C-alpha cells in the first residue's frame, strides 16, 4: 500500500511556482459552510482570485441550507481580506443529492454515500470553473478532520481530467488549519453546525447523542 500523499505540500509547491510578477491565478472554491471556509479563505485569497461556490444539495432542511449560506455571506462581508472573494449564484438542488444517495441510506458516515456526495459537489465546481474560464477548482471540505482528504483530492484530479480544468491540491486541516478555523469561527461568532448537513448525518448525530446519554446514565 502506498503512503498517503501530502497534498498540503503539493499546494505549497504549486504556490511557490507562481511567478511573483504574473497575474494572480483564478480559483473556483467550493464552500461547504462559513466555519470551514474561514481559514481556507484567509490563506488562499493571498494567492488567488477566488470565486466561491456554495453548492451543497446535501444540506437539509432548506432552512439549514439558508442559515449556512447567510453565515457564509456574513463572513465574506466582515472578514478582512486583501482580495475578497466573489460569491457565485447557485440554486438549491436537493433532488441531486437524493439521486446519488438512493440505495445508500444505511451507509455509515464517511462511506460510499459520502464519497458520491464529494464527487457531486466537486463536479459542479469543476463544471463552473470551466464555464467561467477559471484556472483552478478545489473545495474547503478537506479542512474537516472528518473528511477524507485523500479521496477528495483523488476525485478532484479525476474531474480535472474530465473537464479540462486544473484541480488545486490541498489538505487544509494541516498546519493548524482546522484549529485556525475554530478560532476564526469564535472571533466572528459563526454558527457551527453539529452535523455534516444531510438527513443521514443528522440521524447519526442523534444516535450518537442517545448512546452518550445512555452511557452517562449507566455510569451515574
Amino acid at each position: 500500500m502506498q503512503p498517503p500523499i501530502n497534498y498540503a505540500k503539493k499546494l505549497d509547491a504549486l504556490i511557490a511556482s507562481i511567478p511573483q510578477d504574473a497575474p494572480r491565478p483564478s480559483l473556483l472554491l467550493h464552500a461547504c459552510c462559513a466555519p470551514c471556509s474561514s481559514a481556507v479563505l484567509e490563506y488562499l485569497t493571498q494567492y488567488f482570485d477566488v470565486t466561491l461556490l456554495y453548492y451543497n444539495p446535501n444540506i437539509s432542511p432548506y432552512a439549514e441550507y439558508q442559515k449556512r449560506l447567510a453565515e457564509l455571506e456574513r463572513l465574506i462581508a466582515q472578514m478582512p481580506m486583501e482580495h475578497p472573494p466573489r460569491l457565485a449564484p447557485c440554486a438549491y438542488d436537493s433532488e441531486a443529492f437524493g439521486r446519488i444517495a438512493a440505495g445508500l441510506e444505511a451507509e455509515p458516515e464517511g462511506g460510499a454515500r459520502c464519497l458520491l456526495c464529494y464527487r457531486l459537489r466537486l463536479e459542479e465546481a469543476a463544471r463552473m470553473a470551466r464555464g467561467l474560464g477559471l484556472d483552478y477548482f478545489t473545495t474547503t471540505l478537506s479542512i474537516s478532520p472528518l473528511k477524507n482528504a485523500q479521496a477528495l483530492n483523488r476525485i478532484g484530479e479525476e474531474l480535472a481530467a474530465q473537464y479540462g480544468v486544473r484541480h488545486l491540491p490541498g489538505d487544509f486541516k494541516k498546519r493548524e488549519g482546522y484549529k485556525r478555523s475554530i478560532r476564526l469561527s469564535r472571533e466572528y461568532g459563526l454558527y457551527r453546525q453539529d452535523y455534516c448537513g444531510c438527513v443521514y448525518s443528522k440521524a447519526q448525530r442523534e444516535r450518537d447523542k442517545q448512546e452518550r446519554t445512555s452511557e452517562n446514565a449507566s455510569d451515574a
Side-chain angles (χ1 to χ4, degrees), residues 10-46:
K10 290 190 71 171
L11 177 56
D12 287 345
L14 188 153
I15 289 173
S17 72
I18 300 172
Q20 292 187 354
D21 57 350
R24 290 161 56 82
S26 53
L27 169 67
L28 193 292
L29 176 62
H30 165 260
C32 56
C33 63
C36 288
S37 300
S38 59
V40 180
L41 283 172
E42 183 181 61
Y43 180 61
L44 290 181
T45 53
Q46 298 176 73

PDB file of all heavy atoms in Angstrom, residues 10-46:
ATOM      1  N   LYS A  10       1.972  19.624  -1.671  1.00  0.00           N
ATOM      2  CA  LYS A  10       1.768  19.833  -3.102  1.00  0.00           C
ATOM      3  C   LYS A  10       1.235  21.242  -3.373  1.00  0.00           C
ATOM      4  O   LYS A  10       1.632  21.901  -4.336  1.00  0.00           O
ATOM      5  CB  LYS A  10       0.797  18.785  -3.668  1.00  0.00           C
ATOM      6  CG  LYS A  10       1.363  17.377  -3.720  1.00  0.00           C
ATOM      7  CD  LYS A  10       0.469  16.423  -4.502  1.00  0.00           C
ATOM      8  CE  LYS A  10       0.512  16.729  -5.990  1.00  0.00           C
ATOM      9  NZ  LYS A  10      -0.164  15.692  -6.796  1.00  0.00           N
ATOM     10  N   LEU A  11       0.349  21.713  -2.503  1.00  0.00           N
ATOM     11  CA  LEU A  11      -0.168  23.070  -2.657  1.00  0.00           C
ATOM     12  C   LEU A  11       0.940  24.095  -2.426  1.00  0.00           C
ATOM     13  O   LEU A  11       1.038  25.083  -3.164  1.00  0.00           O
ATOM     14  CB  LEU A  11      -1.330  23.312  -1.694  1.00  0.00           C
ATOM     15  CG  LEU A  11      -1.918  24.723  -1.699  1.00  0.00           C
ATOM     16  CD1 LEU A  11      -2.378  25.132  -3.097  1.00  0.00           C
ATOM     17  CD2 LEU A  11      -3.063  24.832  -0.698  1.00  0.00           C
ATOM     18  N   ASP A  12       1.774  23.867  -1.419  1.00  0.00           N
ATOM     19  CA  ASP A  12       2.899  24.778  -1.165  1.00  0.00           C
ATOM     20  C   ASP A  12       3.785  24.905  -2.398  1.00  0.00           C
ATOM     21  O   ASP A  12       4.204  26.002  -2.778  1.00  0.00           O
ATOM     22  CB  ASP A  12       3.744  24.263   0.004  1.00  0.00           C
ATOM     23  CG  ASP A  12       3.059  24.447   1.345  1.00  0.00           C
ATOM     24  OD1 ASP A  12       2.087  25.212   1.411  1.00  0.00           O
ATOM     25  OD2 ASP A  12       3.509  23.816   2.321  1.00  0.00           O
ATOM     26  N   ALA A  13       4.075  23.759  -3.005  1.00  0.00           N
ATOM     27  CA  ALA A  13       4.953  23.755  -4.176  1.00  0.00           C
ATOM     28  C   ALA A  13       4.297  24.488  -5.345  1.00  0.00           C
ATOM     29  O   ALA A  13       4.967  25.225  -6.083  1.00  0.00           O
ATOM     30  CB  ALA A  13       5.293  22.322  -4.572  1.00  0.00           C
ATOM     31  N   LEU A  14       3.001  24.302  -5.512  1.00  0.00           N
ATOM     32  CA  LEU A  14       2.303  24.978  -6.598  1.00  0.00           C
ATOM     33  C   LEU A  14       2.327  26.496  -6.391  1.00  0.00           C
ATOM     34  O   LEU A  14       2.608  27.251  -7.326  1.00  0.00           O
ATOM     35  CB  LEU A  14       0.864  24.466  -6.669  1.00  0.00           C
ATOM     36  CG  LEU A  14       0.019  24.912  -7.862  1.00  0.00           C
ATOM     37  CD1 LEU A  14      -1.064  23.875  -8.152  1.00  0.00           C
ATOM     38  CD2 LEU A  14      -0.650  26.263  -7.607  1.00  0.00           C
ATOM     39  N   ILE A  15       2.038  26.936  -5.170  1.00  0.00           N
ATOM     40  CA  ILE A  15       2.042  28.375  -4.887  1.00  0.00           C
ATOM     41  C   ILE A  15       3.433  28.956  -5.077  1.00  0.00           C
ATOM     42  O   ILE A  15       3.600  30.053  -5.641  1.00  0.00           O
ATOM     43  CB  ILE A  15       1.517  28.637  -3.460  1.00  0.00           C
ATOM     44  CG1 ILE A  15       0.017  28.358  -3.408  1.00  0.00           C
ATOM     45  CG2 ILE A  15       1.820  30.067  -3.017  1.00  0.00           C
ATOM     46  CD1 ILE A  15      -0.584  28.424  -2.019  1.00  0.00           C
ATOM     47  N   ALA A  16       4.459  28.225  -4.653  1.00  0.00           N
ATOM     48  CA  ALA A  16       5.832  28.707  -4.807  1.00  0.00           C
ATOM     49  C   ALA A  16       6.233  28.832  -6.271  1.00  0.00           C
ATOM     50  O   ALA A  16       7.120  29.624  -6.610  1.00  0.00           O
ATOM     51  CB  ALA A  16       6.792  27.759  -4.075  1.00  0.00           C
ATOM     52  N   SER A  17       5.577  28.067  -7.143  1.00  0.00           N
ATOM     53  CA  SER A  17       5.921  28.093  -8.569  1.00  0.00           C
ATOM     54  C   SER A  17       5.272  29.252  -9.319  1.00  0.00           C
ATOM     55  O   SER A  17       5.606  29.493 -10.482  1.00  0.00           O
ATOM     56  CB  SER A  17       5.503  26.771  -9.231  1.00  0.00           C
ATOM     57  OG  SER A  17       4.072  26.695  -9.359  1.00  0.00           O
ATOM     58  N   ILE A  18       4.347  29.973  -8.689  1.00  0.00           N
ATOM     59  CA  ILE A  18       3.674  31.097  -9.353  1.00  0.00           C
ATOM     60  C   ILE A  18       4.642  32.281  -9.411  1.00  0.00           C
ATOM     61  O   ILE A  18       5.084  32.771  -8.367  1.00  0.00           O
ATOM     62  CB  ILE A  18       2.395  31.500  -8.602  1.00  0.00           C
ATOM     63  CG1 ILE A  18       1.406  30.331  -8.535  1.00  0.00           C
ATOM     64  CG2 ILE A  18       1.742  32.699  -9.275  1.00  0.00           C
ATOM     65  CD1 ILE A  18       0.209  30.587  -7.637  1.00  0.00           C
ATOM     66  N   PRO A  19       5.007  32.760 -10.573  1.00  0.00           N
ATOM     67  CA  PRO A  19       5.913  33.923 -10.667  1.00  0.00           C
ATOM     68  C   PRO A  19       5.313  35.141  -9.970  1.00  0.00           C
ATOM     69  O   PRO A  19       4.114  35.415 -10.094  1.00  0.00           O
ATOM     70  CB  PRO A  19       6.047  34.154 -12.178  1.00  0.00           C
ATOM     71  CG  PRO A  19       5.651  32.861 -12.803  1.00  0.00           C
ATOM     72  CD  PRO A  19       4.618  32.257 -11.896  1.00  0.00           C
ATOM     73  N   GLN A  20       6.134  35.844  -9.226  1.00  0.00           N
ATOM     74  CA  GLN A  20       5.638  36.986  -8.457  1.00  0.00           C
ATOM     75  C   GLN A  20       5.100  38.104  -9.347  1.00  0.00           C
ATOM     76  O   GLN A  20       4.246  38.883  -8.922  1.00  0.00           O
ATOM     77  CB  GLN A  20       6.750  37.519  -7.553  1.00  0.00           C
ATOM     78  CG  GLN A  20       7.132  36.550  -6.441  1.00  0.00           C
ATOM     79  CD  GLN A  20       8.116  37.162  -5.459  1.00  0.00           C
ATOM     80  OE1 GLN A  20       8.608  38.277  -5.658  1.00  0.00           O
ATOM     81  NE2 GLN A  20       8.407  36.439  -4.387  1.00  0.00           N
ATOM     82  N   ASP A  21       5.611  38.197 -10.567  1.00  0.00           N
ATOM     83  CA  ASP A  21       5.156  39.260 -11.460  1.00  0.00           C
ATOM     84  C   ASP A  21       4.035  38.814 -12.390  1.00  0.00           C
ATOM     85  O   ASP A  21       3.619  39.551 -13.277  1.00  0.00           O
ATOM     86  CB  ASP A  21       6.328  39.786 -12.294  1.00  0.00           C
ATOM     87  CG  ASP A  21       7.009  38.686 -13.110  1.00  0.00           C
ATOM     88  OD1 ASP A  21       6.695  37.497 -12.874  1.00  0.00           O
ATOM     89  OD2 ASP A  21       7.850  39.015 -13.966  1.00  0.00           O
ATOM     90  N   ALA A  22       3.533  37.589 -12.177  1.00  0.00           N
ATOM     91  CA  ALA A  22       2.460  37.063 -13.018  1.00  0.00           C
ATOM     92  C   ALA A  22       1.099  37.491 -12.467  1.00  0.00           C
ATOM     93  O   ALA A  22       0.962  37.779 -11.271  1.00  0.00           O
ATOM     94  CB  ALA A  22       2.535  35.543 -13.084  1.00  0.00           C
ATOM     95  N   PRO A  23       0.071  37.536 -13.300  1.00  0.00           N
ATOM     96  CA  PRO A  23      -1.286  37.801 -12.799  1.00  0.00           C
ATOM     97  C   PRO A  23      -1.696  36.730 -11.795  1.00  0.00           C
ATOM     98  O   PRO A  23      -1.275  35.571 -11.888  1.00  0.00           O
ATOM     99  CB  PRO A  23      -2.150  37.736 -14.062  1.00  0.00           C
ATOM    100  CG  PRO A  23      -1.205  37.939 -15.197  1.00  0.00           C
ATOM    101  CD  PRO A  23       0.098  37.364 -14.771  1.00  0.00           C
ATOM    102  N   ARG A  24      -2.526  37.124 -10.852  1.00  0.00           N
ATOM    103  CA  ARG A  24      -2.980  36.165  -9.849  1.00  0.00           C
ATOM    104  C   ARG A  24      -3.849  35.098 -10.511  1.00  0.00           C
ATOM    105  O   ARG A  24      -4.780  35.433 -11.262  1.00  0.00           O
ATOM    106  CB  ARG A  24      -3.795  36.883  -8.777  1.00  0.00           C
ATOM    107  CG  ARG A  24      -2.975  37.788  -7.884  1.00  0.00           C
ATOM    108  CD  ARG A  24      -3.847  38.811  -7.176  1.00  0.00           C
ATOM    109  NE  ARG A  24      -4.911  38.187  -6.409  1.00  0.00           N
ATOM    110  CZ  ARG A  24      -4.758  37.686  -5.180  1.00  0.00           C
ATOM    111  NH1 ARG A  24      -3.567  37.751  -4.598  1.00  0.00           N
ATOM    112  NH2 ARG A  24      -5.754  37.144  -4.537  1.00  0.00           N
ATOM    113  N   PRO A  25      -3.571  33.806 -10.264  1.00  0.00           N
ATOM    114  CA  PRO A  25      -4.420  32.761 -10.843  1.00  0.00           C
ATOM    115  C   PRO A  25      -5.841  32.850 -10.281  1.00  0.00           C
ATOM    116  O   PRO A  25      -6.057  33.321  -9.160  1.00  0.00           O
ATOM    117  CB  PRO A  25      -3.742  31.459 -10.410  1.00  0.00           C
ATOM    118  CG  PRO A  25      -2.385  31.852  -9.936  1.00  0.00           C
ATOM    119  CD  PRO A  25      -2.488  33.256  -9.457  1.00  0.00           C
ATOM    120  N   SER A  26      -6.794  32.389 -11.061  1.00  0.00           N
ATOM    121  CA  SER A  26      -8.193  32.395 -10.623  1.00  0.00           C
ATOM    122  C   SER A  26      -8.572  31.006 -10.104  1.00  0.00           C
ATOM    123  O   SER A  26      -8.088  29.978 -10.597  1.00  0.00           O
ATOM    124  CB  SER A  26      -9.109  32.801 -11.769  1.00  0.00           C
ATOM    125  OG  SER A  26      -8.884  31.994 -12.915  1.00  0.00           O
ATOM    126  N   LEU A  27      -9.447  30.996  -9.116  1.00  0.00           N
ATOM    127  CA  LEU A  27      -9.798  29.755  -8.429  1.00  0.00           C
ATOM    128  C   LEU A  27     -11.287  29.716  -8.143  1.00  0.00           C
ATOM    129  O   LEU A  27     -11.850  30.669  -7.595  1.00  0.00           O
ATOM    130  CB  LEU A  27      -9.018  29.666  -7.108  1.00  0.00           C
ATOM    131  CG  LEU A  27      -9.431  28.563  -6.127  1.00  0.00           C
ATOM    132  CD1 LEU A  27      -9.127  27.170  -6.685  1.00  0.00           C
ATOM    133  CD2 LEU A  27      -8.726  28.760  -4.777  1.00  0.00           C
ATOM    134  N   LEU A  28     -11.929  28.597  -8.470  1.00  0.00           N
ATOM    135  CA  LEU A  28     -13.300  28.322  -8.066  1.00  0.00           C
ATOM    136  C   LEU A  28     -13.214  27.475  -6.798  1.00  0.00           C
ATOM    137  O   LEU A  28     -12.746  26.341  -6.830  1.00  0.00           O
ATOM    138  CB  LEU A  28     -14.044  27.570  -9.173  1.00  0.00           C
ATOM    139  CG  LEU A  28     -15.575  27.426  -9.095  1.00  0.00           C
ATOM    140  CD1 LEU A  28     -16.031  26.537  -7.966  1.00  0.00           C
ATOM    141  CD2 LEU A  28     -16.258  28.768  -9.024  1.00  0.00           C
ATOM    142  N   LEU A  29     -13.621  28.049  -5.682  1.00  0.00           N
ATOM    143  CA  LEU A  29     -13.543  27.364  -4.388  1.00  0.00           C
ATOM    144  C   LEU A  29     -14.931  26.939  -3.951  1.00  0.00           C
ATOM    145  O   LEU A  29     -15.786  27.785  -3.664  1.00  0.00           O
ATOM    146  CB  LEU A  29     -12.917  28.292  -3.345  1.00  0.00           C
ATOM    147  CG  LEU A  29     -12.843  27.761  -1.904  1.00  0.00           C
ATOM    148  CD1 LEU A  29     -11.974  26.504  -1.822  1.00  0.00           C
ATOM    149  CD2 LEU A  29     -12.316  28.846  -0.962  1.00  0.00           C
ATOM    150  N   HIS A  30     -15.169  25.626  -3.901  1.00  0.00           N
ATOM    151  CA  HIS A  30     -16.423  25.126  -3.353  1.00  0.00           C
ATOM    152  C   HIS A  30     -16.403  25.324  -1.846  1.00  0.00           C
ATOM    153  O   HIS A  30     -15.461  24.914  -1.169  1.00  0.00           O
ATOM    154  CB  HIS A  30     -16.614  23.636  -3.677  1.00  0.00           C
ATOM    155  CG  HIS A  30     -17.682  23.022  -2.827  1.00  0.00           C
ATOM    156  ND1 HIS A  30     -17.391  22.262  -1.710  1.00  0.00           N
ATOM    157  CD2 HIS A  30     -19.038  23.077  -2.918  1.00  0.00           C
ATOM    158  CE1 HIS A  30     -18.526  21.882  -1.151  1.00  0.00           C
ATOM    159  NE2 HIS A  30     -19.526  22.366  -1.863  1.00  0.00           N
ATOM    160  N   ALA A  31     -17.432  25.977  -1.322  1.00  0.00           N
ATOM    161  CA  ALA A  31     -17.523  26.276   0.106  1.00  0.00           C
ATOM    162  C   ALA A  31     -18.656  25.486   0.731  1.00  0.00           C
ATOM    163  O   ALA A  31     -19.802  25.583   0.291  1.00  0.00           O
ATOM    164  CB  ALA A  31     -17.764  27.771   0.314  1.00  0.00           C
ATOM    165  N   CYS A  32     -18.346  24.712   1.753  1.00  0.00           N
ATOM    166  CA  CYS A  32     -19.384  23.912   2.398  1.00  0.00           C
ATOM    167  C   CYS A  32     -20.114  24.698   3.483  1.00  0.00           C
ATOM    168  O   CYS A  32     -21.293  24.464   3.735  1.00  0.00           O
ATOM    169  CB  CYS A  32     -18.797  22.627   2.963  1.00  0.00           C
ATOM    170  SG  CYS A  32     -17.419  22.871   4.115  1.00  0.00           S
ATOM    171  N   CYS A  33     -19.422  25.636   4.144  1.00  0.00           N
ATOM    172  CA  CYS A  33     -20.026  26.439   5.208  1.00  0.00           C
ATOM    173  C   CYS A  33     -19.045  27.536   5.590  1.00  0.00           C
ATOM    174  O   CYS A  33     -17.868  27.503   5.192  1.00  0.00           O
ATOM    175  CB  CYS A  33     -20.360  25.582   6.429  1.00  0.00           C
ATOM    176  SG  CYS A  33     -18.906  24.830   7.210  1.00  0.00           S
ATOM    177  N   ALA A  34     -19.501  28.494   6.394  1.00  0.00           N
ATOM    178  CA  ALA A  34     -18.640  29.609   6.794  1.00  0.00           C
ATOM    179  C   ALA A  34     -17.483  29.171   7.695  1.00  0.00           C
ATOM    180  O   ALA A  34     -16.336  29.587   7.473  1.00  0.00           O
ATOM    181  CB  ALA A  34     -19.475  30.686   7.470  1.00  0.00           C
ATOM    182  N   PRO A  35     -17.698  28.354   8.730  1.00  0.00           N
ATOM    183  CA  PRO A  35     -16.578  27.970   9.584  1.00  0.00           C
ATOM    184  C   PRO A  35     -15.444  27.290   8.818  1.00  0.00           C
ATOM    185  O   PRO A  35     -14.268  27.625   9.015  1.00  0.00           O
ATOM    186  CB  PRO A  35     -17.221  27.017  10.602  1.00  0.00           C
ATOM    187  CG  PRO A  35     -18.635  27.472  10.690  1.00  0.00           C
ATOM    188  CD  PRO A  35     -18.993  27.875   9.295  1.00  0.00           C
ATOM    189  N   CYS A  36     -15.774  26.364   7.937  1.00  0.00           N
ATOM    190  CA  CYS A  36     -14.739  25.680   7.158  1.00  0.00           C
ATOM    191  C   CYS A  36     -14.081  26.619   6.158  1.00  0.00           C
ATOM    192  O   CYS A  36     -12.897  26.496   5.851  1.00  0.00           O
ATOM    193  CB  CYS A  36     -15.328  24.472   6.432  1.00  0.00           C
ATOM    194  SG  CYS A  36     -15.748  23.095   7.525  1.00  0.00           S
ATOM    195  N   SER A  37     -14.854  27.579   5.648  1.00  0.00           N
ATOM    196  CA  SER A  37     -14.318  28.499   4.645  1.00  0.00           C
ATOM    197  C   SER A  37     -13.376  29.528   5.249  1.00  0.00           C
ATOM    198  O   SER A  37     -12.493  30.058   4.553  1.00  0.00           O
ATOM    199  CB  SER A  37     -15.465  29.226   3.932  1.00  0.00           C
ATOM    200  OG  SER A  37     -16.315  28.311   3.282  1.00  0.00           O
ATOM    201  N   SER A  38     -13.540  29.829   6.526  1.00  0.00           N
ATOM    202  CA  SER A  38     -12.831  30.963   7.125  1.00  0.00           C
ATOM    203  C   SER A  38     -11.317  30.866   6.959  1.00  0.00           C
ATOM    204  O   SER A  38     -10.685  31.751   6.359  1.00  0.00           O
ATOM    205  CB  SER A  38     -13.200  31.081   8.604  1.00  0.00           C
ATOM    206  OG  SER A  38     -12.862  29.896   9.316  1.00  0.00           O
ATOM    207  N   ALA A  39     -10.713  29.823   7.477  1.00  0.00           N
ATOM    208  CA  ALA A  39      -9.255  29.691   7.413  1.00  0.00           C
ATOM    209  C   ALA A  39      -8.777  29.451   5.984  1.00  0.00           C
ATOM    210  O   ALA A  39      -7.688  29.888   5.607  1.00  0.00           O
ATOM    211  CB  ALA A  39      -8.786  28.559   8.317  1.00  0.00           C
ATOM    212  N   VAL A  40      -9.590  28.756   5.183  1.00  0.00           N
ATOM    213  CA  VAL A  40      -9.215  28.484   3.797  1.00  0.00           C
ATOM    214  C   VAL A  40      -9.184  29.792   3.002  1.00  0.00           C
ATOM    215  O   VAL A  40      -8.243  30.049   2.239  1.00  0.00           O
ATOM    216  CB  VAL A  40     -10.179  27.469   3.153  1.00  0.00           C
ATOM    217  CG1 VAL A  40      -9.780  27.201   1.711  1.00  0.00           C
ATOM    218  CG2 VAL A  40     -10.198  26.166   3.948  1.00  0.00           C
ATOM    219  N   LEU A  41     -10.184  30.636   3.197  1.00  0.00           N
ATOM    220  CA  LEU A  41     -10.206  31.926   2.510  1.00  0.00           C
ATOM    221  C   LEU A  41      -9.066  32.829   2.973  1.00  0.00           C
ATOM    222  O   LEU A  41      -8.433  33.513   2.161  1.00  0.00           O
ATOM    223  CB  LEU A  41     -11.542  32.625   2.758  1.00  0.00           C
ATOM    224  CG  LEU A  41     -12.732  32.121   1.954  1.00  0.00           C
ATOM    225  CD1 LEU A  41     -14.018  32.765   2.453  1.00  0.00           C
ATOM    226  CD2 LEU A  41     -12.540  32.389   0.469  1.00  0.00           C
ATOM    227  N   GLU A  42      -8.815  32.825   4.264  1.00  0.00           N
ATOM    228  CA  GLU A  42      -7.730  33.647   4.794  1.00  0.00           C
ATOM    229  C   GLU A  42      -6.414  33.313   4.096  1.00  0.00           C
ATOM    230  O   GLU A  42      -5.610  34.198   3.800  1.00  0.00           O
ATOM    231  CB  GLU A  42      -7.610  33.413   6.303  1.00  0.00           C
ATOM    232  CG  GLU A  42      -6.559  34.267   6.997  1.00  0.00           C
ATOM    233  CD  GLU A  42      -6.480  33.965   8.470  1.00  0.00           C
ATOM    234  OE1 GLU A  42      -6.172  32.800   8.827  1.00  0.00           O
ATOM    235  OE2 GLU A  42      -6.710  34.886   9.274  1.00  0.00           O
ATOM    236  N   TYR A  43      -6.218  32.032   3.822  1.00  0.00           N
ATOM    237  CA  TYR A  43      -4.979  31.576   3.183  1.00  0.00           C
ATOM    238  C   TYR A  43      -4.992  31.775   1.670  1.00  0.00           C
ATOM    239  O   TYR A  43      -4.093  32.416   1.102  1.00  0.00           O
ATOM    240  CB  TYR A  43      -4.761  30.103   3.527  1.00  0.00           C
ATOM    241  CG  TYR A  43      -3.512  29.514   2.920  1.00  0.00           C
ATOM    242  CD1 TYR A  43      -2.258  30.019   3.238  1.00  0.00           C
ATOM    243  CD2 TYR A  43      -3.594  28.452   2.025  1.00  0.00           C
ATOM    244  CE1 TYR A  43      -1.097  29.477   2.683  1.00  0.00           C
ATOM    245  CE2 TYR A  43      -2.448  27.909   1.468  1.00  0.00           C
ATOM    246  CZ  TYR A  43      -1.205  28.421   1.805  1.00  0.00           C
ATOM    247  OH  TYR A  43      -0.073  27.893   1.237  1.00  0.00           O
ATOM    248  N   LEU A  44      -6.015  31.270   1.011  1.00  0.00           N
ATOM    249  CA  LEU A  44      -5.993  31.220  -0.450  1.00  0.00           C
ATOM    250  C   LEU A  44      -6.168  32.584  -1.112  1.00  0.00           C
ATOM    251  O   LEU A  44      -5.657  32.801  -2.218  1.00  0.00           O
ATOM    252  CB  LEU A  44      -7.066  30.261  -0.967  1.00  0.00           C
ATOM    253  CG  LEU A  44      -6.820  28.772  -0.697  1.00  0.00           C
ATOM    254  CD1 LEU A  44      -7.956  27.938  -1.283  1.00  0.00           C
ATOM    255  CD2 LEU A  44      -5.484  28.314  -1.264  1.00  0.00           C
ATOM    256  N   THR A  45      -6.891  33.502  -0.457  1.00  0.00           N
ATOM    257  CA  THR A  45      -7.079  34.814  -1.088  1.00  0.00           C
ATOM    258  C   THR A  45      -5.780  35.622  -1.149  1.00  0.00           C
ATOM    259  O   THR A  45      -5.727  36.647  -1.836  1.00  0.00           O
ATOM    260  CB  THR A  45      -8.155  35.643  -0.354  1.00  0.00           C
ATOM    261  OG1 THR A  45      -7.838  35.717   1.041  1.00  0.00           O
ATOM    262  CG2 THR A  45      -9.536  35.032  -0.551  1.00  0.00           C
ATOM    263  N   GLN A  46      -4.751  35.160  -0.470  1.00  0.00           N
ATOM    264  CA  GLN A  46      -3.440  35.812  -0.593  1.00  0.00           C
ATOM    265  C   GLN A  46      -2.820  35.555  -1.963  1.00  0.00           C
ATOM    266  O   GLN A  46      -2.015  36.345  -2.447  1.00  0.00           O
ATOM    267  CB  GLN A  46      -2.480  35.292   0.477  1.00  0.00           C
ATOM    268  CG  GLN A  46      -2.897  35.553   1.904  1.00  0.00           C
ATOM    269  CD  GLN A  46      -1.922  34.910   2.866  1.00  0.00           C
ATOM    270  OE1 GLN A  46      -0.788  35.364   3.047  1.00  0.00           O
ATOM    271  NE2 GLN A  46      -2.346  33.808   3.473  1.00  0.00           N
TER     272      GLN A  46
END
